[in-house]
Amino acid sequence: MRVARAVGVVFVAVATVHLGAQLAGSAALAQVTQWLLMPTLAVCVLAATASPRPRQVRVVVLALGLSFLGDAAPDLVAGGDASFLVMVGFFLLAQVAYVVAFAPRARSSVLYRPARTAPYAAALVVLVGIVAPHAGTLLVPVAVYAGVLTAMAVLATGLGRWGAVGGAVFLVSDSLIALEAFVPGWSLPAHGFWVMATYCVGQALLAVAVLRLPDVRPQPMPCTGAANGTPEPSRRASVSGSAIG
């Protein structure tokens, strides 16, 4: 857990530097730090859990890896629609991975509570409705992505409060990207900062929510007691919560 906490601090530091670069308009620094965000968070999740890791943890790490590829896509593929589609493709796969990871807890989510699911459905309809007139040939992939993204946010409520907030914030982040990409005249001051701030917070909270699940085994703290292996009294309590929360 000490390693996990240290890596969590690194993630917060990288995110802080990245957001500062966004505000300062330092494109090179923002690019490099964005590449580091999701790998650092994935290492934190791995360091916080013990082997053998449950399927949920493994799939979440896969989602973080796919998110990294989505972050890197605009810098690796020629600009225009091709770059956007590759980015959306990787993030779509990341959202599918999250859906797979969260689906076993669907009964604990708002999925079967129409009154609580309605705001998510309304957000999906409004977002697609605003984007549709301007999306052209990209309407179908954008609508599919929006649907899977909303499903992820709904299922994330099954992880508890942290998951519900994380899924909703992630939904906001990607909605801001869609509005910027397709809606003429859309202008949000410091747009890149807000997209990345909600992205970092959303991803981190989803990781926290998974690490707090009762069936996720935390990485044990090293024993420093006597030679018989008995840990110090302060280490007897089980480690709970998240390495980054």
Side-chain angles (χ1 to χ4, degrees):
M1 289 299 291
R2 284 179 175 174
V3 174
R5 293 184 184 279
V7 178
V9 170
V10 172
F11 172 78
V12 172
V14 172
T16 301
V17 172
H18 175 77
L19 295 176
Q22 288 282 351
L23 290 175
S26 177
L29 181 58
Q31 179 187 60
V32 171
T33 49
Q34 185 168 342
W35 290 349
L36 296 175
L37 286 169
M38 293 304 106
T40 305
L41 188 56
V43 171
C44 185
V45 171
L46 290 173
T49 53
S51 183
R53 295 175 178 85
R55 185 177 68 92
Q56 284 176 308
V57 171
R58 299 196 303 269
V59 178
V60 165
V61 170
L62 173 62
L64 293 172
L66 291 166
S67 296
F68 160 72
L69 294 175
D71 287 335
D75 303 310
L76 302 177
V77 180
D81 287 353
S83 175
F84 184 79
L85 283 173
V86 172
M87 179 186 72
V88 170
F90 280 125
F91 277 114
L92 174 61
L93 293 174
Q95 298 302 339
V96 170
Y98 275 131
V99 167
V100 171
F102 303 159
R105 300 186 64 84
R107 287 288 178 184
S108 300
S109 74
V110 301
L111 183 62
Y112 299 100
R113 303 170 191 174
R116 297 188 180 184
T117 308
Y120 293 93
L124 172 62
V125 171
V126 170
L127 178 62
V128 174
I130 292 174
V131 169
H134 315 288
T137 58
L138 296 178
L139 176 58
V140 172
V142 169
V144 169
Y145 181 83
V148 177
L149 174 67
T150 305
M152 177 280 299
V154 168
L155 291 172
T157 63
L159 305 179
R161 178 179 57 188
W162 298 106
V165 176
V169 172
F170 204 160
L171 178 59
V172 169
S173 180
D174 281 3
S175 296
L176 291 177
I177 293 175
L179 293 172
E180 173 74 10
F182 295 107
V183 179
W186 168 264
S187 178
L188 176 67
H191 173 84
F193 171 85
W194 292 113
V195 167
M196 292 307 299
T198 48
Y199 174 68
C200 292
V201 171
Q203 292 272 31
L205 288 179
L206 290 176
V208 168
V210 169
L211 292 176
R212 291 172 64 91
L213 293 176
D215 55 343
V216 174
R217 296 175 58 202
Q219 189 68 255
M221 292 287 284
C223 295
T224 58
N228 61 8
T230 303
E232 294 176 347
S234 62
R235 301 283 175 82
R236 291 182 185 275
S238 60
V239 179
S240 61
S242 161
I244 59 176

mmCIF file with all atom_site columns, all heavy atoms in Angstrom, residues 221-242:
data_model
loop_
_atom_site.group_PDB
_atom_site.id
_atom_site.type_symbol
_atom_site.label_atom_id
_atom_site.label_alt_id
_atom_site.label_comp_id
_atom_site.label_asym_id
_atom_site.label_entity_id
_atom_site.label_seq_id
_atom_site.pdbx_PDB_ins_code
_atom_site.Cartn_x
_atom_site.Cartn_y
_atom_site.Cartn_z
_atom_site.occupancy
_atom_site.B_iso_or_equiv
_atom_site.pdbx_formal_charge
_atom_site.auth_seq_id
_atom_site.auth_comp_id
_atom_site.auth_asym_id
_atom_site.auth_atom_id
_atom_site.pdbx_PDB_model_num
ATOM 1   N N   . MET A 1 221 ? 0.207   -4.361  3.892  1.00 0.00 ? 221 MET A N   1
ATOM 2   C CA  . MET A 1 221 ? 1.338   -3.548  4.335  1.00 0.00 ? 221 MET A CA  1
ATOM 3   C C   . MET A 1 221 ? 2.463   -4.469  4.778  1.00 0.00 ? 221 MET A C   1
ATOM 4   O O   . MET A 1 221 ? 2.211   -5.543  5.319  1.00 0.00 ? 221 MET A O   1
ATOM 5   C CB  . MET A 1 221 ? 0.909   -2.662  5.508  1.00 0.00 ? 221 MET A CB  1
ATOM 6   C CG  . MET A 1 221 ? -0.096  -1.585  5.136  1.00 0.00 ? 221 MET A CG  1
ATOM 7   S SD  . MET A 1 221 ? 0.639   -0.251  4.186  1.00 0.00 ? 221 MET A SD  1
ATOM 8   C CE  . MET A 1 221 ? 1.513   0.627   5.475  1.00 0.00 ? 221 MET A CE  1
ATOM 9   N N   . PRO A 1 222 ? 3.723   -4.071  4.578  1.00 0.00 ? 222 PRO A N   1
ATOM 10  C CA  . PRO A 1 222 ? 4.831   -4.902  5.039  1.00 0.00 ? 222 PRO A CA  1
ATOM 11  C C   . PRO A 1 222 ? 4.862   -5.000  6.553  1.00 0.00 ? 222 PRO A C   1
ATOM 12  O O   . PRO A 1 222 ? 4.564   -4.033  7.254  1.00 0.00 ? 222 PRO A O   1
ATOM 13  C CB  . PRO A 1 222 ? 6.068   -4.167  4.506  1.00 0.00 ? 222 PRO A CB  1
ATOM 14  C CG  . PRO A 1 222 ? 5.621   -2.752  4.342  1.00 0.00 ? 222 PRO A CG  1
ATOM 15  C CD  . PRO A 1 222 ? 4.173   -2.828  3.943  1.00 0.00 ? 222 PRO A CD  1
ATOM 16  N N   . CYS A 1 223 ? 5.205   -6.183  7.061  1.00 0.00 ? 223 CYS A N   1
ATOM 17  C CA  . CYS A 1 223 ? 5.295   -6.390  8.502  1.00 0.00 ? 223 CYS A CA  1
ATOM 18  C C   . CYS A 1 223 ? 6.638   -5.886  9.006  1.00 0.00 ? 223 CYS A C   1
ATOM 19  O O   . CYS A 1 223 ? 7.680   -6.150  8.420  1.00 0.00 ? 223 CYS A O   1
ATOM 20  C CB  . CYS A 1 223 ? 5.137   -7.870  8.843  1.00 0.00 ? 223 CYS A CB  1
ATOM 21  S SG  . CYS A 1 223 ? 3.510   -8.538  8.440  1.00 0.00 ? 223 CYS A SG  1
ATOM 22  N N   . THR A 1 224 ? 6.608   -5.168  10.123 1.00 0.00 ? 224 THR A N   1
ATOM 23  C CA  . THR A 1 224 ? 7.858   -4.655  10.696 1.00 0.00 ? 224 THR A CA  1
ATOM 24  C C   . THR A 1 224 ? 7.975   -5.020  12.169 1.00 0.00 ? 224 THR A C   1
ATOM 25  O O   . THR A 1 224 ? 8.707   -4.389  12.916 1.00 0.00 ? 224 THR A O   1
ATOM 26  C CB  . THR A 1 224 ? 7.917   -3.117  10.552 1.00 0.00 ? 224 THR A CB  1
ATOM 27  O OG1 . THR A 1 224 ? 6.776   -2.548  11.207 1.00 0.00 ? 224 THR A OG1 1
ATOM 28  C CG2 . THR A 1 224 ? 7.909   -2.716  9.089  1.00 0.00 ? 224 THR A CG2 1
ATOM 29  N N   . GLY A 1 225 ? 7.217   -6.038  12.587 1.00 0.00 ? 225 GLY A N   1
ATOM 30  C CA  . GLY A 1 225 ? 7.233   -6.429  14.000 1.00 0.00 ? 225 GLY A CA  1
ATOM 31  C C   . GLY A 1 225 ? 8.388   -7.332  14.338 1.00 0.00 ? 225 GLY A C   1
ATOM 32  O O   . GLY A 1 225 ? 9.439   -7.321  13.712 1.00 0.00 ? 225 GLY A O   1
ATOM 33  N N   . ALA A 1 226 ? 8.173   -8.159  15.320 1.00 0.00 ? 226 ALA A N   1
ATOM 34  C CA  . ALA A 1 226 ? 9.223   -9.043  15.796 1.00 0.00 ? 226 ALA A CA  1
ATOM 35  C C   . ALA A 1 226 ? 9.518   -10.113 14.773 1.00 0.00 ? 226 ALA A C   1
ATOM 36  O O   . ALA A 1 226 ? 8.845   -10.265 13.766 1.00 0.00 ? 226 ALA A O   1
ATOM 37  C CB  . ALA A 1 226 ? 8.779   -9.672  17.126 1.00 0.00 ? 226 ALA A CB  1
ATOM 38  N N   . ALA A 1 227 ? 10.525  -10.904 15.068 1.00 0.00 ? 227 ALA A N   1
ATOM 39  C CA  . ALA A 1 227 ? 10.977  -11.918 14.124 1.00 0.00 ? 227 ALA A CA  1
ATOM 40  C C   . ALA A 1 227 ? 9.929   -12.977 13.869 1.00 0.00 ? 227 ALA A C   1
ATOM 41  O O   . ALA A 1 227 ? 9.997   -13.689 12.880 1.00 0.00 ? 227 ALA A O   1
ATOM 42  C CB  . ALA A 1 227 ? 12.259  -12.573 14.660 1.00 0.00 ? 227 ALA A CB  1
ATOM 43  N N   . ASN A 1 228 ? 8.932   -13.127 14.786 1.00 0.00 ? 228 ASN A N   1
ATOM 44  C CA  . ASN A 1 228 ? 7.912   -14.149 14.575 1.00 0.00 ? 228 ASN A CA  1
ATOM 45  C C   . ASN A 1 228 ? 6.887   -13.740 13.537 1.00 0.00 ? 228 ASN A C   1
ATOM 46  O O   . ASN A 1 228 ? 5.954   -14.477 13.255 1.00 0.00 ? 228 ASN A O   1
ATOM 47  C CB  . ASN A 1 228 ? 7.203   -14.480 15.893 1.00 0.00 ? 228 ASN A CB  1
ATOM 48  C CG  . ASN A 1 228 ? 6.504   -13.250 16.484 1.00 0.00 ? 228 ASN A CG  1
ATOM 49  O OD1 . ASN A 1 228 ? 6.427   -12.206 15.847 1.00 0.00 ? 228 ASN A OD1 1
ATOM 50  N ND2 . ASN A 1 228 ? 6.002   -13.403 17.711 1.00 0.00 ? 228 ASN A ND2 1
ATOM 51  N N   . GLY A 1 229 ? 7.058   -12.546 12.959 1.00 0.00 ? 229 GLY A N   1
ATOM 52  C CA  . GLY A 1 229 ? 6.185   -12.117 11.876 1.00 0.00 ? 229 GLY A CA  1
ATOM 53  C C   . GLY A 1 229 ? 4.970   -11.357 12.345 1.00 0.00 ? 229 GLY A C   1
ATOM 54  O O   . GLY A 1 229 ? 4.144   -10.962 11.546 1.00 0.00 ? 229 GLY A O   1
ATOM 55  N N   . THR A 1 230 ? 4.816   -11.129 13.666 1.00 0.00 ? 230 THR A N   1
ATOM 56  C CA  . THR A 1 230 ? 3.669   -10.380 14.154 1.00 0.00 ? 230 THR A CA  1
ATOM 57  C C   . THR A 1 230 ? 3.855   -8.910  13.838 1.00 0.00 ? 230 THR A C   1
ATOM 58  O O   . THR A 1 230 ? 4.867   -8.317  14.199 1.00 0.00 ? 230 THR A O   1
ATOM 59  C CB  . THR A 1 230 ? 3.527   -10.551 15.674 1.00 0.00 ? 230 THR A CB  1
ATOM 60  O OG1 . THR A 1 230 ? 3.419   -11.941 15.961 1.00 0.00 ? 230 THR A OG1 1
ATOM 61  C CG2 . THR A 1 230 ? 2.299   -9.806  16.184 1.00 0.00 ? 230 THR A CG2 1
ATOM 62  N N   . PRO A 1 231 ? 2.907   -8.292  13.154 1.00 0.00 ? 231 PRO A N   1
ATOM 63  C CA  . PRO A 1 231 ? 3.074   -6.886  12.810 1.00 0.00 ? 231 PRO A CA  1
ATOM 64  C C   . PRO A 1 231 ? 2.930   -6.003  14.028 1.00 0.00 ? 231 PRO A C   1
ATOM 65  O O   . PRO A 1 231 ? 2.387   -6.396  15.055 1.00 0.00 ? 231 PRO A O   1
ATOM 66  C CB  . PRO A 1 231 ? 1.935   -6.635  11.810 1.00 0.00 ? 231 PRO A CB  1
ATOM 67  C CG  . PRO A 1 231 ? 0.928   -7.686  12.111 1.00 0.00 ? 231 PRO A CG  1
ATOM 68  C CD  . PRO A 1 231 ? 1.686   -8.873  12.628 1.00 0.00 ? 231 PRO A CD  1
ATOM 69  N N   . GLU A 1 232 ? 3.421   -4.792  13.912 1.00 0.00 ? 232 GLU A N   1
ATOM 70  C CA  . GLU A 1 232 ? 3.254   -3.827  14.978 1.00 0.00 ? 232 GLU A CA  1
ATOM 71  C C   . GLU A 1 232 ? 1.764   -3.588  15.206 1.00 0.00 ? 232 GLU A C   1
ATOM 72  O O   . GLU A 1 232 ? 0.955   -3.720  14.305 1.00 0.00 ? 232 GLU A O   1
ATOM 73  C CB  . GLU A 1 232 ? 3.923   -2.499  14.585 1.00 0.00 ? 232 GLU A CB  1
ATOM 74  C CG  . GLU A 1 232 ? 5.435   -2.607  14.469 1.00 0.00 ? 232 GLU A CG  1
ATOM 75  C CD  . GLU A 1 232 ? 6.015   -1.289  13.989 1.00 0.00 ? 232 GLU A CD  1
ATOM 76  O OE1 . GLU A 1 232 ? 5.239   -0.437  13.534 1.00 0.00 ? 232 GLU A OE1 1
ATOM 77  O OE2 . GLU A 1 232 ? 7.235   -1.123  14.077 1.00 0.00 ? 232 GLU A OE2 1
ATOM 78  N N   . PRO A 1 233 ? 1.372   -3.192  16.424 1.00 0.00 ? 233 PRO A N   1
ATOM 79  C CA  . PRO A 1 233 ? -0.033  -2.958  16.712 1.00 0.00 ? 233 PRO A CA  1
ATOM 80  C C   . PRO A 1 233 ? -0.679  -1.980  15.750 1.00 0.00 ? 233 PRO A C   1
ATOM 81  O O   . PRO A 1 233 ? -1.836  -2.120  15.386 1.00 0.00 ? 233 PRO A O   1
ATOM 82  C CB  . PRO A 1 233 ? -0.011  -2.397  18.144 1.00 0.00 ? 233 PRO A CB  1
ATOM 83  C CG  . PRO A 1 233 ? 1.229   -2.972  18.741 1.00 0.00 ? 233 PRO A CG  1
ATOM 84  C CD  . PRO A 1 233 ? 2.219   -3.045  17.628 1.00 0.00 ? 233 PRO A CD  1
ATOM 85  N N   . SER A 1 234 ? 0.063   -0.954  15.329 1.00 0.00 ? 234 SER A N   1
ATOM 86  C CA  . SER A 1 234 ? -0.512  0.038   14.440 1.00 0.00 ? 234 SER A CA  1
ATOM 87  C C   . SER A 1 234 ? -0.798  -0.514  13.059 1.00 0.00 ? 234 SER A C   1
ATOM 88  O O   . SER A 1 234 ? -1.500  0.100   12.273 1.00 0.00 ? 234 SER A O   1
ATOM 89  C CB  . SER A 1 234 ? 0.435   1.241   14.311 1.00 0.00 ? 234 SER A CB  1
ATOM 90  O OG  . SER A 1 234 ? 1.664   0.816   13.744 1.00 0.00 ? 234 SER A OG  1
ATOM 91  N N   . ARG A 1 235 ? -0.223  -1.687  12.746 1.00 0.00 ? 235 ARG A N   1
ATOM 92  C CA  . ARG A 1 235 ? -0.429  -2.280  11.436 1.00 0.00 ? 235 ARG A CA  1
ATOM 93  C C   . ARG A 1 235 ? -1.484  -3.374  11.463 1.00 0.00 ? 235 ARG A C   1
ATOM 94  O O   . ARG A 1 235 ? -1.732  -4.026  10.466 1.00 0.00 ? 235 ARG A O   1
ATOM 95  C CB  . ARG A 1 235 ? 0.887   -2.877  10.923 1.00 0.00 ? 235 ARG A CB  1
ATOM 96  C CG  . ARG A 1 235 ? 2.011   -1.852  10.804 1.00 0.00 ? 235 ARG A CG  1
ATOM 97  C CD  . ARG A 1 235 ? 1.829   -0.989  9.547  1.00 0.00 ? 235 ARG A CD  1
ATOM 98  N NE  . ARG A 1 235 ? 2.836   0.060   9.508  1.00 0.00 ? 235 ARG A NE  1
ATOM 99  C CZ  . ARG A 1 235 ? 4.078   -0.111  9.071  1.00 0.00 ? 235 ARG A CZ  1
ATOM 100 N NH1 . ARG A 1 235 ? 4.452   -1.293  8.660  1.00 0.00 ? 235 ARG A NH1 1
ATOM 101 N NH2 . ARG A 1 235 ? 4.922   0.888   9.052  1.00 0.00 ? 235 ARG A NH2 1
ATOM 102 N N   . ARG A 1 236 ? -2.103  -3.641  12.614 1.00 0.00 ? 236 ARG A N   1
ATOM 103 C CA  . ARG A 1 236 ? -3.026  -4.765  12.709 1.00 0.00 ? 236 ARG A CA  1
ATOM 104 C C   . ARG A 1 236 ? -4.319  -4.505  11.956 1.00 0.00 ? 236 ARG A C   1
ATOM 105 O O   . ARG A 1 236 ? -4.924  -5.437  11.442 1.00 0.00 ? 236 ARG A O   1
ATOM 106 C CB  . ARG A 1 236 ? -3.343  -5.073  14.182 1.00 0.00 ? 236 ARG A CB  1
ATOM 107 C CG  . ARG A 1 236 ? -2.170  -5.648  14.947 1.00 0.00 ? 236 ARG A CG  1
ATOM 108 C CD  . ARG A 1 236 ? -2.580  -5.958  16.374 1.00 0.00 ? 236 ARG A CD  1
ATOM 109 N NE  . ARG A 1 236 ? -1.436  -6.403  17.173 1.00 0.00 ? 236 ARG A NE  1
ATOM 110 C CZ  . ARG A 1 236 ? -1.008  -7.653  17.221 1.00 0.00 ? 236 ARG A CZ  1
ATOM 111 N NH1 . ARG A 1 236 ? -1.610  -8.583  16.515 1.00 0.00 ? 236 ARG A NH1 1
ATOM 112 N NH2 . ARG A 1 236 ? 0.016   -7.994  17.975 1.00 0.00 ? 236 ARG A NH2 1
ATOM 113 N N   . ALA A 1 237 ? -4.735  -3.252  11.916 1.00 0.00 ? 237 ALA A N   1
ATOM 114 C CA  . ALA A 1 237 ? -6.002  -2.938  11.257 1.00 0.00 ? 237 ALA A CA  1
ATOM 115 C C   . ALA A 1 237 ? -5.853  -3.191  9.764  1.00 0.00 ? 237 ALA A C   1
ATOM 116 O O   . ALA A 1 237 ? -4.824  -2.926  9.177  1.00 0.00 ? 237 ALA A O   1
ATOM 117 C CB  . ALA A 1 237 ? -6.393  -1.483  11.498 1.00 0.00 ? 237 ALA A CB  1
ATOM 118 N N   . SER A 1 238 ? -6.897  -3.735  9.174  1.00 0.00 ? 238 SER A N   1
ATOM 119 C CA  . SER A 1 238 ? -6.866  -3.984  7.728  1.00 0.00 ? 238 SER A CA  1
ATOM 120 C C   . SER A 1 238 ? -6.881  -2.667  6.984  1.00 0.00 ? 238 SER A C   1
ATOM 121 O O   . SER A 1 238 ? -7.478  -1.692  7.406  1.00 0.00 ? 238 SER A O   1
ATOM 122 C CB  . SER A 1 238 ? -8.073  -4.820  7.307  1.00 0.00 ? 238 SER A CB  1
ATOM 123 O OG  . SER A 1 238 ? -9.257  -4.148  7.619  1.00 0.00 ? 238 SER A OG  1
ATOM 124 N N   . VAL A 1 239 ? -6.200  -2.662  5.855  1.00 0.00 ? 239 VAL A N   1
ATOM 125 C CA  . VAL A 1 239 ? -6.129  -1.471  5.031  1.00 0.00 ? 239 VAL A CA  1
ATOM 126 C C   . VAL A 1 239 ? -7.388  -1.411  4.187  1.00 0.00 ? 239 VAL A C   1
ATOM 127 O O   . VAL A 1 239 ? -7.708  -2.362  3.505  1.00 0.00 ? 239 VAL A O   1
ATOM 128 C CB  . VAL A 1 239 ? -4.887  -1.514  4.124  1.00 0.00 ? 239 VAL A CB  1
ATOM 129 C CG1 . VAL A 1 239 ? -4.851  -0.274  3.247  1.00 0.00 ? 239 VAL A CG1 1
ATOM 130 C CG2 . VAL A 1 239 ? -3.637  -1.612  4.965  1.00 0.00 ? 239 VAL A CG2 1
ATOM 131 N N   . SER A 1 240 ? -8.084  -0.295  4.236  1.00 0.00 ? 240 SER A N   1
ATOM 132 C CA  . SER A 1 240 ? -9.295  -0.147  3.441  1.00 0.00 ? 240 SER A CA  1
ATOM 133 C C   . SER A 1 240 ? -9.216  1.154   2.676  1.00 0.00 ? 240 SER A C   1
ATOM 134 O O   . SER A 1 240 ? -8.343  1.976   2.909  1.00 0.00 ? 240 SER A O   1
ATOM 135 C CB  . SER A 1 240 ? -10.540 -0.138  4.334  1.00 0.00 ? 240 SER A CB  1
ATOM 136 O OG  . SER A 1 240 ? -10.473 0.943   5.231  1.00 0.00 ? 240 SER A OG  1
ATOM 137 N N   . GLY A 1 241 ? -10.147 1.321   1.766  1.00 0.00 ? 241 GLY A N   1
ATOM 138 C CA  . GLY A 1 241 ? -10.197 2.549   0.987  1.00 0.00 ? 241 GLY A CA  1
ATOM 139 C C   . GLY A 1 241 ? -9.276  2.485   -0.192 1.00 0.00 ? 241 GLY A C   1
ATOM 140 O O   . GLY A 1 241 ? -8.830  1.432   -0.626 1.00 0.00 ? 241 GLY A O   1
ATOM 141 N N   . SER A 1 242 ? -8.962  3.626   -0.737 1.00 0.00 ? 242 SER A N   1
ATOM 142 C CA  . SER A 1 242 ? -8.228  3.709   -1.997 1.00 0.00 ? 242 SER A CA  1
ATOM 143 C C   . SER A 1 242 ? -6.839  4.239   -1.759 1.00 0.00 ? 242 SER A C   1
ATOM 144 O O   . SER A 1 242 ? -6.581  4.993   -0.838 1.00 0.00 ? 242 SER A O   1
ATOM 145 C CB  . SER A 1 242 ? -8.976  4.638   -2.948 1.00 0.00 ? 242 SER A CB  1
ATOM 146 O OG  . SER A 1 242 ? -8.133  5.057   -3.949 1.00 0.00 ? 242 SER A OG  1
#
